[in-house]
Amino acid sequence: MVLKDENRSNDGEQPLDLFLKIGLDERTAKNTVANNKVTANLTDVIHEAAVTDGCDRTIGNLLYTVATKFPANALVHRPTLLQYIVSSKIKTPAQLEAAFSFFATTGSENFKINEFEEACGVGVEVSIEDVERIVAELFEEQKNVILELRYRTNVGELFGHVRKRQPWADPKIVKKLIDTNLYSLLGERTAADDEKPKKKKEKPVKIEEHSIPVDAPPKPSEEELNPFSIFPSPEENYKVHTEVFFSDRPVLRACNSREILEKHLKATGGKVFTRFPPEPNGYLHIGHAKAMFIDFGLAKERGGCCYLRYDDTNPEAEKKEYIDHIEEIVSWMGWKPFKITYTSDYFQDLYELAVELIRRGHAYVDHQTPEEIKEYREKKMNSPWRDRPIAESLKLFDDMKRGMIEEGKATLRMKQDMQSDNYNMYDLIAYRIKFTPHPHAGDKWCIYPSYDYAHCIVDSLENITHSLCTLEFETRRASYYWLLDALGLYQPYVWEYSRLNVTNTVMSKRKLNRLVTAKWVDGWDDPRLMTLAGLRRRGVTSTSINAFVKGIGITRSDSSIIQLDRLEYHIREELNKEAPRTLVVLHPLKVVITNLEAGSVMDLDAKKWPDAQIDQSSVYKVPFSNVVYIEHSDFRMKDSKDYYGLAPGKSVLLRCIWIWYMCTAL
């Protein structure tokens, strides 16, 4: 196997020599070589522009800008722009920036040459006289300010004013004319012009006591007010936001063509579509509450739809009990799915697409054992069956489907990149054989798709606009987009957020399952567990859990651990608004209030819960007379500074009674 030397261009020439030939200074060229991504882009640009033998320095600098800034969603049009640069039809940075803006909007679609040339000022000649006139007019307008500031005048601002009036003027000529006009107006530079301006010392303002202003609290950011503002709209899903690098082929810039995006938007009506995709292999825990808040919350905030999709690709670990629990607990959390689906609903589609993947040369049937696959991945070695004929893989895959191959003797693997720096591009398994009935699909299938194969395809089939998951799946993003690109399917916008970690809790479903199956706890709803069923059994409300996860926000900080106190705070806040309270005296001590008439009884209003508003529905009556009962522990014969209960000669405030009474204990 021959490995490609990343430090050598396509024709064998060292990139550094190539970059020096186009006029880059030595420092810039060396810094470029240190960046593999820019090196690859600039090398491709030089070859596309056919200037491997060198070019003018001005053209070279423009080519460097193209290599670093050209819109990734319009690469098909890059050769066209390069021809305009090499022929000097586009010769200024301003024209180049205008070209970038034009192509960023156009994307990969066809465009009209006359519209492009008009947008970039191609063929527009600006005479020196025109520039002189514009600069003279500007100096006349700004004369007083320039005379006051002299050589401390911001030349950049003057330059910007000229560019607004004549964007295609040669920047070198503009700079020269501005300098000339400054000299003509101000004369020689003096020593005073080089002095730093002295800051005037401001006398402290006397503030009268009665007029001290109260500092207004800082306004919350847009993200704090609406945590979903960080996500783009569905119409923007033609832009590139992920690049997949390969060892043996060009960079994959994940984006949708205009045609695919328009078809998707027509199917969704331009709405946001998300999905909450739990695997039914256990009960949901508080980490799933955050996922629900993000998936269902984004759809609700944008007026869209959210699927509840059971990711049921592993029949050995999934149970009907878990499926029923998930649907029930999602409802208890206050979320209503747009539709309930199963990955197994798409098993036929997934199988047909797997066949197509083989036909396109992107998948093969492999006979390695799990141990061998692990060893070959660690050594970055190709499977011995990787290059088997397509027809052979098609036949073997059909044999797998018909149950003619033993379990564990064959898998379907995707032909990705075994030399990649990303472990999740090492020819992941797409299908494996399992002679196990499926809890939803029954015994129709004996081959089942893997998560890595099924997840992205079902996202695409359901027209998901935002595929949101936790950060441990970030390295799988490359495989996600590789597969959709290989099949020519619509590509959702993928974004990862930090998983919820809470102190002193077990959050792993695998560990929770072990605690339950080993009977260390009383089932999945044991109040000691952080499962949502356990929290509910403990008395925690769904609204307090949602308030907790909303307060955490949607971040990508993967190392943060949330204190359990924070959850308990939201639980208390909720209970203080809704949980009725009752007063009880366990060890009564009779107290006679001597300055209250004997026999008189007053009905006082007591709050049913601490944060209740005083109205008839939130209070109950407490009879009050000259005889009351208090706890024994709330009375002492001898008072002390650190004691706040009742003592001889001491006044106390009784709950619900807003009058001070002198009390005598009997």
Side-chain angles (χ1 to χ4, degrees):
M1 180 174 61
V2 179
L3 296 179
K4 180 182 176 182
D5 183 357
E6 293 183 354
N7 293 319
R8 192 172 292 276
S9 65
N10 295 337
D11 57 2
E13 188 172 7
Q14 290 289 342
L16 181 60
D17 298 333
L18 202 59
F19 299 163
L20 292 173
K21 280 185 179 180
I22 65 169
L24 295 188
D25 61 81
E26 187 173 355
R27 182 178 178 183
T28 302
K30 287 182 176 179
N31 288 340
T32 302
V33 171
N35 187 318
N36 291 336
K37 180 179 176 182
V38 179
T39 297
N41 284 345
L42 184 54
T43 302
D44 290 343
V45 164
I46 292 171
H47 281 86
E48 287 176 15
V51 292
T52 52
D53 294 330
C55 63
D56 180 75
R57 184 175 182 177
T58 302
I59 292 176
N61 287 334
L62 293 177
L63 295 180
Y64 179 84
T65 305
V66 171
T68 54
K69 291 186 176 181
F70 190 85
N73 63 322
L75 283 177
V76 67
H77 300 309
R78 189 169 70 181
T80 302
L81 175 61
L82 294 176
Q83 291 306 312
Y84 274 81
I85 293 172
V86 172
S87 61
S88 295
K89 292 181 180 179
I90 288 180
K91 52 192 174 183
T92 67
Q95 287 180 299
L96 192 57
E97 289 295 331
F100 291 161
S101 298
F102 179 86
F103 285 127
T105 304
T106 304
S108 59
E109 303 299 313
N110 295 328
F111 65 94
K112 295 180 179 179
I113 288 293
N114 61 327
E115 292 178 356
F116 167 70
E117 292 184 347
E118 182 181 352
C120 302
V122 174
V124 177
E125 294 295 334
V126 182
S127 66
I128 295 178
E129 291 76 14
D130 289 337
V131 181
E132 287 177 343
R133 177 178 52 79
I134 292 170
V135 172
E137 291 174 356
L138 178 64
F139 267 73
E140 187 63 32
E141 295 170 6
Q142 303 287 331
K143 184 175 181 180
N144 293 335
V145 176
I146 295 171
L147 288 172
E148 181 182 354
L149 296 175
R150 289 185 58 78
Y151 283 100
R152 290 191 293 273
T153 300
N154 189 329
V155 176
E157 287 187 2
L158 297 176
F159 200 104
H161 285 302
V162 175
R163 186 171 177 179
K164 284 182 180 178
R165 301 180 189 189
Q166 184 44 266
W168 313 127
D170 189 324
K172 292 181 180 178
I173 295 175
V174 174
K175 177 68 167 59
K176 184 178 179 180
L177 288 173
I178 289 176
D179 290 343
T180 301
N181 277 264
L182 278 174
Y183 183 81
S184 299
L185 182 63
L186 303 176
E188 292 287 343
R189 197 182 189 98
T190 65
D193 292 323
D194 296 326
E195 292 179 0
K196 292 183 178 180
K198 295 180 180 179
K199 293 182 179 180
K200 295 181 180 180
K201 293 184 179 180
E202 296 182 1
K203 295 181 180 180
V205 180
K206 292 183 180 180
I207 303 175
E208 298 181 9
E209 291 184 6
H210 65 274
S211 62
I212 298 176
V214 178
D215 290 337
K219 292 184 178 179
S221 65
E222 183 182 355
E223 189 173 332
E224 289 174 322
L225 292 172
N226 178 12
F228 304 109
S229 61
I230 60 176
F231 298 115
S233 65
E235 293 81 5
E236 297 179 79
N237 205 5
Y238 65 90
K239 298 179 180 178
V240 176
H241 83 292
T242 297
E243 294 183 332
V244 182
F245 294 91
F246 298 94
S247 63
D248 58 351
R249 69 199 90 160
V251 176
L252 168 63
R253 293 174 172 86
C255 64
N256 292 299
S257 67
R258 291 280 186 179
E259 183 181 355
I260 289 177
L261 183 59
E262 285 174 7
K263 183 179 178 182
H264 159 77
L265 293 174
K266 186 177 180 180
T268 62
K271 290 184 177 181
V272 165
F273 273 71
T274 60
R275 80 287 176 273
F276 174 57
E279 182 180 359
N281 62 350
Y283 278 36
L284 302 185
H285 54 66
I286 195 168
H288 292 101
K290 179 176 180 179
M292 278 188 266
F293 172 76
I294 296 173
D295 291 323
F296 284 99
L298 171 61
K300 182 178 180 180
E301 191 271 335
R302 299 282 179 89
C305 307
C306 181
Y307 287 89
L308 168 57
R309 184 205 304 157
Y310 294 106
D311 183 23
D312 57 345
T313 58
N314 184 5
E316 294 174 339
E318 292 147 11
K319 295 180 182 178
K320 183 70 166 58
E321 172 195 353
Y322 301 146
I323 292 173
D324 294 340
H325 155 75
I326 291 172
E327 184 176 348
E328 188 270 333
I329 211 72
V330 166
S331 176
W332 177 74
M333 286 294 296
W335 304 115
K336 186 177 181 180
F338 159 68
K339 189 183 292 185
I340 297 175
T341 61
Y342 298 76
T343 298
S344 55
D345 294 339
Y346 303 93
F347 275 179
Q348 185 62 38
D349 298 298
L350 292 167
Y351 171 77
E352 291 172 2
L353 287 169
V355 172
E356 179 62 25
L357 197 66
I358 298 172
R359 287 198 181 109
R360 296 187 180 194
H362 297 310
Y364 61 96
V365 173
D366 187 35
H367 302 290
Q368 287 184 302
T369 65
E371 294 73 22
E372 288 172 334
I373 291 175
K374 181 180 179 182
E375 179 186 353
Y376 273 57
R377 281 178 171 168
E378 289 173 351
K379 295 178 180 179
K380 290 190 172 185
M381 293 171 56
N382 290 342
S383 165
W385 290 278
R386 193 176 201 264
D387 296 321
R388 74 190 324 161
I390 290 175
E392 190 176 321
S393 283
L394 286 171
K395 180 182 182 305
L396 288 168
F397 189 49
D398 183 61
D399 290 344
M400 288 171 60
K401 175 179 178 286
R402 292 190 291 136
M404 298 176 65
I405 301 178
E406 293 180 31
E407 187 169 334
K409 295 296 183 181
T411 58
L412 181 70
R413 293 179 65 182
M414 296 178 275
K415 194 182 289 187
Q416 296 171 305
D417 185 6
M418 290 297 293
Q419 303 304 316
S420 173
D421 293 332
N422 185 341
Y423 186 81
N424 284 300
M425 287 295 286
Y426 292 174
D427 289 9
L428 299 179
I429 292 174
Y431 269 88
R432 68 276 200 215
I433 302 169
K434 287 182 182 292
F435 293 106
T436 304
H438 192 278
H440 183 67
D443 57 1
K444 180 180 177 181
W445 296 89
C446 63
I447 56 171
Y448 293 100
S450 66
Y451 170 87
D452 293 293
Y453 174 76
H455 185 70
C456 57
I457 293 178
V458 178
D459 275 354
S460 181
L461 295 177
E462 291 186 340
N463 277 303
I464 300 302
T465 59
H466 299 74
S467 180
L468 311 174
C469 53
T470 47
L471 275 171
E472 66 261 35
F473 294 98
E474 185 174 23
T475 56
R476 283 180 156 93
R477 190 192 286 195
S479 172
Y480 185 105
Y481 281 123
W482 173 88
L483 181 54
L484 294 179
D485 180 74
L487 290 169
L489 297 176
Y490 159 76
Q491 300 173 16
Y493 171 83
V494 176
W495 197 83
E496 300 86 7
Y497 54 87
S498 59
R499 61 179 293 147
L500 177 56
N501 297 308
V502 181
T503 55
N504 304 320
T505 60
V506 176
M507 300 288 287
S508 164
K509 198 187 288 187
R510 178 177 54 83
K511 293 178 180 177
L512 288 169
N513 188 41
R514 185 178 175 186
L515 289 173
V516 173
T517 54
K519 300 192 181 301
W520 288 101
V521 293
D522 183 24
W524 284 95
D525 64 345
D526 189 297
R528 292 169 291 180
L529 298 180
M530 271 290 176
T531 59
L532 294 175
L535 289 169
R536 178 173 61 179
R537 186 174 167 189
R538 194 191 302 184
V540 179
T541 62
S542 59
T543 47
S544 60
I545 297 173
N546 283 327
F548 166 64
V549 295
K550 181 179 180 180
I552 295 169
I554 307 173
T555 67
R556 286 176 56 86
S557 178
D558 198 30
S559 58
S560 60
I561 299 179
I562 308 301
Q563 295 294 321
L564 183 60
D565 295 349
R566 192 162 178 177
L567 171 61
E568 292 174 341
Y569 162 78
H570 287 284
I571 294 172
R572 283 194 303 272
E573 287 289 295
E574 185 70 21
L575 293 176
N576 284 344
K577 296 175 183 176
E578 294 186 355
R581 312 296 168 87
T582 302
L583 299 176
V584 178
V585 178
L586 297 178
H587 301 95
L589 178 65
K590 186 177 181 180
V591 177
V592 176
I593 302 173
T594 57
N595 61 339
L596 186 63
E597 182 181 350
S600 64
V601 179
M602 292 183 287
D603 287 328
L604 304 176
D605 289 335
K607 292 182 178 180
K608 291 182 180 178
W609 48 86
D611 292 347
Q613 300 295 324
I614 300 298
D615 58 45
Q616 293 302 315
S617 63
S618 62
V619 297
Y620 64 96
K621 299 297 182 180
V622 176
F624 176 60
S625 66
N626 70 320
V627 177
V628 296
Y629 292 88
I630 65 172
E631 288 285 347
H632 263 274
S633 58
D634 287 334
F635 175 77
R636 288 182 185 177
M637 289 299 295
K638 187 176 181 181
D639 197 10
S640 62
K641 289 183 179 180
D642 59 348
Y643 178 65
Y644 300 97
L646 183 62
K650 185 178 182 180
S651 297
V652 294
L653 179 64
L654 300 177
R655 183 182 287 272
C656 308
I657 302 169
W658 311 109
I659 306 173
W660 289 93
Y661 289 105
M662 190 68 70
C663 301
T664 304
L666 298 180

